[in-house]
Amino acid sequence: TEGLKLKVAALGGGPLPEDAEKARSKDCRKYVNEKAAEELLGKSFDVLLTHCGPEGPLERVGRMGSAEIEAVIISAKPAWNFFAHYTSPIAPSSIGKTQCHWLNDVKFDSGTGCLEASCMGILTIGADGAQSFEVLASDWLKRVVQHSWMYL
């Protein structure tokens, strides 16, 4: 049998030079390249990786999100959207069948030297096509320090 294939798309980057005014804002909605988002509309992929999250679910919890990212999700209907940008946890949400998950930046805590909580997860796809995502437990992440990560 043929192995499972997973298509991954990424949407990030800042505004193009002609959008220099947007680049002065800290509002993450201004940092999605609109032309790149338009290229993903109607494409087919399983996972969408983005810097900030989609507008709708984030606005419901008082955070700013990107309308462009939400439009790509509505159009392409990926199973998963993983994003970062925000400095505090955001509960998983969904847009249609797309599960949207926040992950922390992958960095080491300056005090402990350990990886920050919620920075990694495992996406599992079964032989039957069933999918699940789980953030790695903080206890496991605490075992990974700046000097040991390369030996994983």
Side-chain angles (χ1 to χ4, degrees), residues 108 115 120 140 143-152:
F108 294 95
L115 280 172
M120 293 183 188
W140 187 89
R143 297 187 328 218
V144 181
V145 295
Q146 289 171 314
H147 306 292
S148 69
W149 70 268
M150 63 190 88
Y151 302 107
L152 293 176

Side-chain angles (χ1 to χ4, degrees), residues 14-21 23 33-35:
L16 298 174
E18 61 264 23
D19 295 327
E21 189 60 38
N33 185 306
E34 293 172 15
K35 290 182 181 177

